[in-house]
Amino acid sequence: MINYPNKKGPYISQTMDATNRGMDFERLIDESNTFYRLNQQAVIHKKPTPVQIVKVDYPKRQLAKIVEAYYKVPSTTDYNGIYRGYYIDFDVKESHSATSFPLKNIHAHQIDHLEAVNKHGGLAFILIYFKTHGTVHLLPYKVLAQFVKRAEKGRKSMTYEELVTQALPVKIGYRPSIDYLVAVDRLIDDC
Amino acid sequence: MINYPNKKGPYISQTMDATNRGMDFERLIDESNTFYRLNQQAVIHKKPTPVQIVKVDYPKRQLAKIVEAYYKVPSTTDYNGIYRGYYIDFDVKESHSATSFPLKNIHAHQIDHLEAVNKHGGLAFILIYFKTHGTVHLLPYKVLAQFVKRAEKGRKSMTYEELVTQALPVKIGYRPSIDYLVAVDRLIDDC
């Protein structure tokens, strides 16, 4: 993979389609999931954003209109589904730093949720996109748990170097743009 | 199970706690899922209601307030998670009729979604609560598919009798109130 020193905007790799460069990482994951579904490789969806609805108007002959609502803290990760018969569950994060990924970006309830999924035999992980390097890493829950443990007494972040060596590299392509199921195959082999 | 001819409100069975009688079926399922999670039996959550957010206000020193949003049609079922290592995916329906359950209550995209889940080796089904009988039935996707096929040329609903004989009965209890994982165990045995 070749990374260009392009400071003008987000990009991922040489193979990224030009029209995708302006899109955010979650959007690319959503597109990859649509590709996987259409190709019957996996059934993985993003969960809707949780919202506390307080007030709804019902104008005549029109759609119900929500006029007061607030964002709620999600109690789980954003993505889940089924792949090769396995339950799969993950969240998606971006790092704007070139050198490290702060653990505070992963909420405590998300870590608890991934731990529970892992315990029940599911595939639990975080997909991390390092914007400045244009690389994507699959961090299995078991590796994440070690960094979380270290953070109790020491360093509160993972270095980029640690991610490169201890997480699984994710293939960047054209269709799908983020071909993370290849890394999931390796995760299954390691189980 | 004994059903009382109580016309005053919703009830499920003799064993239903009096304080739960006024609650709706989805709420009882949510409570059962919380029970299962706390007892580390399964990790199953309801997905948030999908909402299209159009306008958000950011009042100073206050929470972001959504002031214009609309309900979206869900593209999947409402519930999924992991149980005994299996991916589990289902929707929850109530029937207000004593004699039949109309298939139009299950949206086409939900049937497609359950079909895909079933194909990938997941446990796909519908939980149907018959209010007047106070009974709950687990309808496996494979049985549902037969009724959907029949509906192309004939009857557009399942009779209560058909559900009693072809779906799996769901245990009603105290903790959890809707102990549907017992029926899921039977579904796994049948696979």
Side-chain angles (χ1 to χ4, degrees):
Chain A
M1 194 193 315
I2 299 168
N3 294 317
Y4 295 106
N6 172 3
K7 302 257 181 198
K8 280 188 182 168
Y11 64 99
I12 293 188
S13 85
Q14 189 183 19
T15 54
M16 178 64 66
D17 186 281
T19 56
N20 283 342
R21 287 188 195 173
M23 295 172 73
D24 66 20
F25 185 50
E26 277 205 0
R27 183 80 161 268
L28 295 175
I29 296 294
D30 293 340
E31 285 187 357
S32 299
N33 286 339
T34 302
F35 178 89
Y36 289 142
R37 281 201 305 278
L38 293 176
N39 283 274
Q40 302 190 9
Q41 282 180 264
V43 182
I44 299 162
H45 286 270
K46 183 177 195 285
K47 293 184 187 176
T49 305
V51 158
Q52 180 72 48
I53 296 165
V54 176
K55 199 178 163 208
V56 184
D57 276 358
Y58 298 92
K60 274 185 190 168
R61 295 164 177 274
Q62 283 172 41
L63 283 175
K65 182 179 173 182
I66 299 160
V67 293
E68 186 180 354
Y70 301 92
Y71 292 105
K72 282 200 296 188
V73 178
S75 50
T76 65
T77 51
D78 276 354
Y79 293 86
N80 72 358
I82 183 167
Y83 172 55
R84 288 176 53 185
Y86 289 91
Y87 175 74
I88 189 169
D89 194 303
F90 61 98
D91 219 274
V92 157
K93 306 284 180 189
E94 281 186 45
S95 177
H96 299 275
S97 156
T99 52
S100 72
F101 179 78
L103 283 167
K104 67 170 186 211
N105 288 357
I106 308 172
H107 307 300
H109 57 266
Q110 291 185 320
I111 293 171
D112 293 344
H113 175 71
L114 291 173
E115 183 187 5
V117 167
N118 181 67
K119 199 175 276 178
H120 283 272
L123 303 168
F125 55 87
I126 306 269
L127 286 181
I128 303 177
Y129 170 40
F130 262 78
K131 246 183 177 163
T132 45
H133 297 280
T135 54
V136 178
H137 311 266
L138 186 153
L139 179 70
Y141 167 75
K142 282 176 191 171
V143 180
L144 169 65
Q146 291 167 11
F147 287 113
V148 169
K149 200 171 178 191
R150 180 178 75 177
E152 285 169 13
K153 290 181 186 170
R155 195 184 165 92
K156 309 277 188 252
S157 65
M158 293 167 272
T159 66
Y160 180 67
E161 210 54 51
E162 286 170 335
L163 266 174
V164 167
T165 52
Q166 297 182 52
L168 296 162
V170 172
K171 203 181 135 204
I172 311 288
Y174 172 55
R175 298 185 73 186
S177 53
I178 316 289
D179 199 2
Y180 67 92
L181 287 184
V182 178
V184 173
D185 287 334
R186 284 190 53 191
L187 185 64
I188 293 170
D189 290 343
D190 290 349
C191 282
Chain B
M1 194 191 315
I2 299 168
N3 295 317
Y4 294 106
N6 173 4
K7 303 256 181 199
K8 279 188 183 169
Y11 65 99
I12 294 190
S13 84
Q14 189 183 20
T15 53
M16 177 66 65
D17 187 283
T19 57
N20 283 342
R21 287 190 196 174
M23 298 173 72
D24 65 21
F25 185 50
E26 279 206 0
R27 183 80 161 269
L28 296 176
I29 295 294
D30 293 341
E31 285 186 357
S32 299
N33 287 337
T34 301
F35 178 89
Y36 289 143
R37 281 201 305 278
L38 293 177
N39 283 274
Q40 303 190 10
Q41 283 180 264
V43 183
I44 299 162
H45 286 269
K46 183 177 195 285
K47 293 185 188 176
T49 305
V51 157
Q52 180 73 48
I53 296 164
V54 176
K55 199 178 162 207
V56 184
D57 276 356
Y58 298 92
K60 274 184 189 168
R61 295 164 177 274
Q62 283 171 39
L63 282 176
K65 182 180 174 182
I66 298 160
V67 294
E68 185 180 355
Y70 301 91
Y71 292 105
K72 283 201 295 188
V73 178
S75 49
T76 65
T77 50
D78 277 354
Y79 293 86
N80 72 358
I82 183 167
Y83 173 57
R84 288 176 52 185
Y86 290 90
Y87 174 74
I88 190 169
D89 194 303
F90 61 98
D91 218 273
V92 157
K93 307 284 180 190
E94 281 185 46
S95 177
H96 299 274
S97 156
T99 53
S100 72
F101 180 78
L103 284 166
K104 67 172 187 211
N105 288 358
I106 309 171
H107 307 299
H109 57 265
Q110 292 184 321
I111 294 171
D112 293 345
H113 175 72
L114 291 173
E115 184 188 4
V117 166
N118 181 67
K119 201 177 273 177
H120 283 272
L123 302 169
F125 55 87
I126 307 270
L127 286 181
I128 302 176
Y129 169 40
F130 262 78
K131 246 183 175 164
T132 44
H133 297 280
T135 54
V136 178
H137 311 265
L138 186 153
L139 179 69
Y141 167 75
K142 282 175 190 169
V143 180
L144 169 65
Q146 292 167 10
F147 287 113
V148 170
K149 202 171 175 192
R150 180 178 73 177
E152 286 169 13
K153 291 181 185 169
R155 197 184 164 92
K156 309 279 187 250
S157 65
M158 292 167 273
T159 66
Y160 179 68
E161 209 52 52
E162 284 171 335
L163 267 173
V164 167
T165 51
Q166 297 182 51
L168 296 162
V170 172
K171 202 182 134 202
I172 312 288
Y174 172 56
R175 299 185 74 186
S177 53
I178 316 288
D179 199 1
Y180 67 92
L181 287 184
V182 178
V184 172
D185 287 334
R186 284 190 52 190
L187 185 64
I188 293 171
D189 290 341
D190 290 348
C191 282

